[in-house]
Amino acid sequence: MENTDNTLLEMQQQMQQLKEKLNSQKIVNDQLLRNSCKNTINRLRFKANTPYLFTVIAVICLPSFFKMGLSTAFAIYTLAMLLVSLVATVYCNRFLPRNMDQDLVTVAENLHKYKKLDAEWLKVAGPMLVVWIVWMVWEFFKQNGGEGYVFYILLGGIVVGLVIGLGIGIKIRRDRLDAADELLSQIEEIKQLK
């Protein structure tokens, strides 16, 4: 009987040790996931902030429009488009988490809002960009009368610039959305640990 009691007591101690190890493992996994989330947040915020850099560069280049003979109305439209884009970027980015100190439900909700606003903004930015491109081509056409090699060189430059710019913009947007999706899946993993 005493032997059975000792065996039972030993089994209880082993079970307690196993529970403690599992709990410590759970804490370690939670911390690893939170650190991974922090890295993803940093990457997402960096990608989300790159439009600020491109906006500053575009505003700095704006006076060159007058040197190329483009109209004041076109320069004003370009500046207005850049400012609207900047305001939209600031508004969308306010839903990005700064760190993982917030509760996970709020972080996930804000990320979903961010993705939804990004999709909605694309519906506005696309037509604005199309108007800007058509207007730019018209400005160059009007300036050169559509004749001579200068017009075709300018048109080729516009096409190459657009392809490169759109390629970079699409890549940055895809990277942002991929990072947001990755963060959402990491949040789900953390929720499952709890």
Side-chain angles (χ1 to χ4, degrees):
M1 186 84 146
E2 196 174 304
N3 192 16
T4 313
D5 289 338
N6 286 340
T7 306
L8 187 58
L9 184 62
E10 189 177 314
M11 286 176 63
Q12 286 176 342
Q13 289 174 346
Q14 289 176 351
M15 285 297 287
Q16 186 61 33
Q17 288 175 349
L18 183 61
K19 283 181 185 179
E20 289 172 7
K21 283 184 181 181
L22 286 174
N23 286 338
S24 69
Q25 185 66 32
K26 191 174 183 180
I27 291 170
V28 169
N29 283 342
D30 185 57
Q31 289 173 341
L32 287 173
L33 280 171
R34 284 189 181 271
N35 286 339
S36 177
C37 286
K38 287 178 186 177
N39 292 337
T40 306
I41 287 171
N42 290 338
R43 191 174 80 239
L44 175 59
R45 291 193 71 74
F46 176 78
K47 293 291 183 180
N49 289 331
T50 52
Y52 299 138
L53 174 67
F54 290 120
T55 302
V56 168
I57 291 170
V59 169
I60 290 171
C61 294
L62 200 57
S64 65
F65 281 20
F66 297 111
K67 292 179 184 174
M68 291 188 287
L70 300 175
S71 69
T72 304
F74 179 71
I76 291 171
Y77 177 80
T78 302
L79 183 61
M81 184 179 72
L82 290 171
L83 290 176
V84 167
S85 298
L86 184 65
V87 168
T89 302
V90 168
Y91 181 74
C92 287
N93 286 356
R94 75 187 191 116
F95 291 104
L96 292 176
R98 301 219 181 279
N99 51 42
M100 287 303 293
D101 294 341
Q102 300 170 328
D103 67 296
L104 298 178
V105 174
T106 304
V107 172
E109 286 175 356
N110 285 341
L111 280 172
H112 285 295
K113 285 179 188 175
Y114 172 78
K115 289 178 64 177
K116 183 179 178 189
L117 285 171
D118 186 71
E120 294 296 320
W121 166 239
L122 205 55
K123 293 176 187 176
V124 174
M128 272 188 349
L129 187 61
V130 168
V131 168
W132 185 79
I133 292 166
V134 169
W135 195 347
M136 182 188 295
V137 170
W138 173 249
E139 288 281 332
F140 284 126
F141 181 81
K142 196 172 66 172
Q143 191 176 35
N144 296 307
E147 298 175 7
Y149 68 92
V150 173
F151 173 73
Y152 294 108
I153 290 173
L154 290 173
L155 191 60
I158 290 171
V159 169
V160 169
L162 285 174
V163 168
I164 291 171
L166 284 174
I168 290 170
I170 289 169
K171 169 122 178 56
I172 290 171
R173 182 174 187 272
R174 189 178 322 129
D175 289 347
R176 277 191 338 237
L177 294 179
D178 288 347
D181 288 338
E182 182 181 335
L183 187 57
L184 284 169
S185 70
Q186 289 170 340
I187 288 170
E188 284 302 315
E189 287 180 39
I190 291 173
K191 284 181 184 177
Q192 288 174 1
L193 281 177
K194 294 189 177 207

